[in-house]
Amino acid sequence: MQRLLLRQTSQATLSPQAAEQVVLGFAEGRVVGREGKTLLVDFDPCQLAALRERLAGWIVSEQGAPVPVPDTCVKIQP
């Protein structure tokens, strides 16, 4: 399984609700979260081309590794 971010663009023909149903139509598709025009899904990488084809106007990208945030706390040394 691969975690994907799906983002609706202005050229998208499907609503977020319809896109969610497309993802769930695949045997290995599972929606992890949805907020506004963005979906977070677990998906079979072998079916990625078919998903992109059905979600015309949507950005389909792999979720990247988290970006490390620097520690900005002041540390006092004795």
Side-chain angles (χ1 to χ4, degrees):
M1 295 297 278
Q2 183 178 28
R3 190 143 297 180
L4 302 172
L5 286 170
L6 310 178
R7 174 85 174 144
Q8 184 183 26
T9 66
S10 60
Q11 293 83 25
T13 56
L14 295 175
S15 68
Q17 295 83 4
E20 185 174 346
Q21 292 306 311
V22 168
V23 170
L24 295 174
F26 287 89
E28 298 293 324
R30 188 173 73 102
V31 176
V32 177
R34 183 175 77 154
E35 185 173 323
K37 298 179 179 183
T38 305
L39 297 170
L40 180 62
V41 301
D42 280 336
F43 203 76
D44 179 10
C46 297
Q47 297 290 321
L48 190 55
L51 179 67
R52 284 192 168 120
E53 185 179 303
R54 292 186 189 172
L55 292 178
W58 281 73
I59 297 170
V60 179
S61 62
E62 292 182 40
Q63 181 185 24
V67 177
V69 178
D71 183 12
T72 59
C73 296
V74 176
K75 306 233 182 341
I76 300 174
Q77 305 237 343

